[in-house]
Amino acid sequence: MSSATEQCTAVPEPFARTADNTALYAALTKAEGVLEISEQAGCAEPGYRLIRIDDRLKSVGGIEIALVDDAQSSVAYYDKVTLVSMPETGSRPVARNQVWRSASKRHSLALRDISQKVLFGYIARRYDLLLTEGEVFGGGTFYWHRQVSRAIEAGLVVSVYEPVEQAFRSVSTQRALEEIQDHAWSKTSPEPLLALVSTLPLSNR
């Protein structure tokens, strides 16, 4: 198994139950060093705050990013970001994301573009962003393809991991992305698809 694949793990436990969600809200909003990053990520939904907490989970490290609804004391979106080192990509830290998003109709408008704002508007501007299939609870079968497609459309540098070559290769067009996914899905037991999204080409590292 490649070191890139080993950096990917299952999604975190969901927080759909009211008690669990309220407890998470309290833990995040009362944590030391809470930063509001709504403006930096371009997230300006009335009644919501996008916050960042560093190193609250001492055993894991990294960052937590959450969209919180203060009126309801609830969490609408939660991203546990773990910064890892990947020799394949150079010295820049790589952000591995484990995401949960609420299915509540109340949050539907606030969540409409939240993935792009957090992943591409905030994280990818500061770190290399690793996207893997199955990293989002409730994201659906095509979530990975949608996000990578949006990264290409946004003009970010996208590379997809090739298990045979054990290396990332550049993918700059929608057609090339579709060919990669079609090839992966044609296999009996496909490995999870991995994409690296960055503002810097790997060749410039």
Side-chain angles (χ1 to χ4, degrees):
M1 181 179 291
S2 72
S3 59
T5 304
E6 289 169 353
Q7 303 296 353
C8 304
T9 58
V11 298
E13 62 188 70
F15 302 103
R17 291 197 310 169
T18 301
D20 293 338
N21 194 287
T22 301
L24 178 64
Y25 172 88
L28 294 174
T29 56
K30 294 178 182 178
E32 183 178 351
V34 177
L35 297 175
E36 182 169 352
I37 59 171
S38 302
E39 185 175 344
Q40 297 176 55
C43 182
E45 288 295 330
Y48 292 84
R49 288 184 297 142
L50 188 67
I51 59 175
R52 167 178 172 160
I53 303 95
D54 288 20
D55 298 324
R56 182 182 71 91
L57 304 175
K58 301 299 183 183
S59 61
V60 177
I63 303 161
E64 293 169 285
I65 295 175
L67 184 69
V68 297
D69 178 350
D70 292 317
Q72 293 290 316
S73 297
S74 64
V75 177
Y77 173 94
Y78 175 77
D79 183 1
K80 183 166 70 173
V81 184
T82 304
L83 300 180
V84 297
S85 175
M86 293 174 59
E88 302 98 319
T89 65
S91 59
R92 197 179 192 207
V94 175
R96 185 188 68 192
N97 299 263
Q98 296 174 290
V99 176
W100 175 85
R101 53 188 294 156
S102 172
S104 171
K105 186 177 180 180
R106 172 183 173 84
H107 304 307
S108 58
L109 288 178
L111 293 175
R112 183 172 49 191
D113 298 317
I114 191 65
S115 290
Q116 295 93 292
K117 292 173 181 177
V118 172
L119 298 178
F120 306 143
Y122 186 80
I123 296 176
R125 304 296 173 182
R126 292 158 176 81
Y127 315 101
D128 285 346
L129 172 64
L130 184 67
L131 297 177
T132 179
E133 285 185 305
E135 70 190 353
V136 179
F137 179 82
T141 304
F142 299 101
Y143 178 86
W144 182 88
H145 184 276
R146 286 197 305 270
Q147 297 309 320
V148 177
S149 175
R150 287 167 177 165
I152 294 173
E153 185 177 341
L156 292 165
V157 179
V158 176
S159 303
V160 173
Y161 187 74
E162 292 284 1
V164 175
E165 299 176 6
Q166 295 192 8
F168 285 93
R169 72 176 179 89
S170 176
V171 177
S172 58
T173 66
Q174 302 292 344
R175 181 175 180 179
L177 174 62
E178 291 171 2
E179 289 175 352
I180 287 171
Q181 186 149 41
D182 288 345
H183 178 70
W185 284 4
S186 68
K187 298 179 181 178
T188 304
S189 301
E191 291 189 36
L193 288 167
L194 305 176
L196 193 75
V197 178
S198 181
T199 57
L200 301 172
L202 291 178
S203 58
N204 289 358
R205 306 298 173 88

